[in-house]
């Protein structure tokens, strides 16, 4: 199985801050990396697929980049509704796997 | 708007079989090219893909759970099901049913049910 390692596992930031989360894959996955946002008590929501494709309705302050084994999710200006846990998921090979998550909290 | 809704017992005894159903509304489970699946999340922990299926009945399971998992589809009632046998406390989790927007088990997951907590305890 492909292992995904997210860093940091926790970050504290203020509204308006630029935030970057990294996801590293144990082997190359081309661009087949997705990002999800999960708020407490809710199901995850797909934000980005194929490393950088923003899903319909997702604010443009979210962006993704990377290929191969290293990927990043960037929130250009953190908003109150962005405080959540973010997960990466590889959709390159079976079985699909997820990173351990990054919790973004209010500073 | 597509909606997925999980249903089933919230408490299962150790060594017994966990059974859940996902009812799909706002769209047909027989619509190509979607796959339908299950993901679980132990309390306070990360996400684990359990398996996916196609409306034709083709199934794909996580190798780590394959020996205990059975998934099936009921197209006439627009729903699909999960059975996980010989459960232990480690199977305690929120179980989500999901849709995959491409005909591949390695696709992303674009629609999710609200999730249902299943606790394994005597």
């Amino acid at each position: 199985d492909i292992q995904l390692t997210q860093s940091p596992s926790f970050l504290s930031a203020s509204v308006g801050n630029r935030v970057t989360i990294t996801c590293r894959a144990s082997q190359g996955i081309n661009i087949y990396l997705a990002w999800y946002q999960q708020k407490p008590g809710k199901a995850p929501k797909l934000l980005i697929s194929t490393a950088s494709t923003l899903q319909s309705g997702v604010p443009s302050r979210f962006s993704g980049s990377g290929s191969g084994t290293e990927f990043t999710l960037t929130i250009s200006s953190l908003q109150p509704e962005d405080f959540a846990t973010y997960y990466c998921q590889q959709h390159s090979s079976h079985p699909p796997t997820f990173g351990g998550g990054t919790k973004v909290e209010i500073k | 708007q597509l909606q997925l809704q999980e249903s089933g017992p919230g408490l299962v005894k150790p060594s017994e079989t966990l059974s859940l159903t996902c009812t799909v509304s706002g769209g047909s489970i027989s619509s190509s090219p979607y796959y339908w699946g299950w993901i679980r999340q132990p309390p306070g922990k990360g996400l684990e893909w359990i398996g996916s299926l196609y409306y034709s009945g083709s199934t794909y399971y996580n190798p780590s759970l394959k020996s205990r998992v059975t998934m099936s589809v009921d197209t006439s009632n627009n729903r699909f099901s999960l059975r996980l046998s010989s459960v232990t406390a480690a199977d305690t989790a929120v179980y989500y049913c999901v849709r995959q927007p491409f005909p591949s088990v390695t696709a992303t997951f674009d629609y999710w049910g609200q999730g249902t907590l299943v606790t394994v305890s005597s």
Side-chain angles (χ1 to χ4, degrees):
Chain A
D1 297 5
I2 294 175
Q3 309 301 316
L4 297 177
T5 303
Q6 287 184 235
S7 60
S9 54
F10 172 88
L11 74 87
S12 181
S14 301
V15 172
N17 283 175
R18 181 182 182 88
V19 166
T20 298
I21 299 169
T22 298
C23 180
R24 289 188 174 86
S26 59
Q27 62 191 75
I29 57 172
N30 200 332
I31 59 167
Y32 299 111
L33 194 285
W35 291 97
Y36 298 81
Q37 176 193 67
Q38 185 178 34
K39 296 182 179 179
K42 300 294 187 183
K45 173 187 175 183
L46 178 63
L47 299 177
I48 289 170
S49 63
T50 53
S52 61
T53 303
L54 210 63
Q55 299 303 292
S56 176
V58 175
S60 59
R61 63 181 180 272
F62 290 92
S63 64
S65 65
S67 66
T69 61
E70 188 152 339
F71 302 84
T72 58
L73 171 70
T74 299
I75 308 172
S76 60
S77 177
L78 200 62
Q79 298 302 300
E81 59 269 30
D82 301 336
F83 292 94
T85 300
Y86 293 84
Y87 292 95
C88 57
Q89 177 233 330
Q90 63 85 12
H91 53 107
S92 170
S93 66
H94 176 75
T97 50
F98 293 85
T102 296
K103 187 173 185 179
V104 177
E105 288 201 344
I106 300 173
K107 191 170 187 177
Chain B
Q1 176 73 354
L2 188 74
Q3 292 188 320
L4 289 74
Q5 178 68 58
E6 305 89 351
S7 60
L11 181 65
V12 181
K13 290 182 167 55
S15 79
E16 295 191 346
T17 297
L18 177 160
S19 295
L20 295 173
T21 295
C22 180
T23 301
V24 178
S25 58
S28 171
I29 200 170
S30 302
S31 296
S32 181
Y34 308 118
Y35 276 29
W36 307 88
W38 294 93
I39 288 171
R40 69 180 183 178
Q41 184 173 36
K45 296 188 178 181
L47 300 159
E48 180 181 34
W49 174 74
I50 299 170
S52 298
L53 58 72
Y54 194 51
Y55 77 91
S56 63
S58 300
T59 54
Y60 308 86
Y61 302 139
N62 192 321
S64 68
L65 297 168
K66 187 174 184 177
S67 63
R68 299 195 291 130
V69 173
T70 304
M71 294 176 58
S72 60
V73 62
D74 177 0
T75 54
S76 59
N77 289 297
N78 220 36
R79 64 189 186 189
F80 59 101
S81 299
L82 168 71
R83 289 173 57 87
L84 181 66
S85 64
S86 305
V87 296
T88 69
D91 295 309
T92 293
V94 174
Y95 286 76
Y96 295 101
C97 57
V98 294
R99 187 188 82 166
Q100 294 180 274
F102 298 103
S104 167
V105 70
T106 60
T108 54
F109 306 99
D110 64 345
Y111 280 90
W112 296 63
Q114 65 184 26
T116 187
L117 175 63
V118 179
T119 301
V120 178
S121 174
S122 56

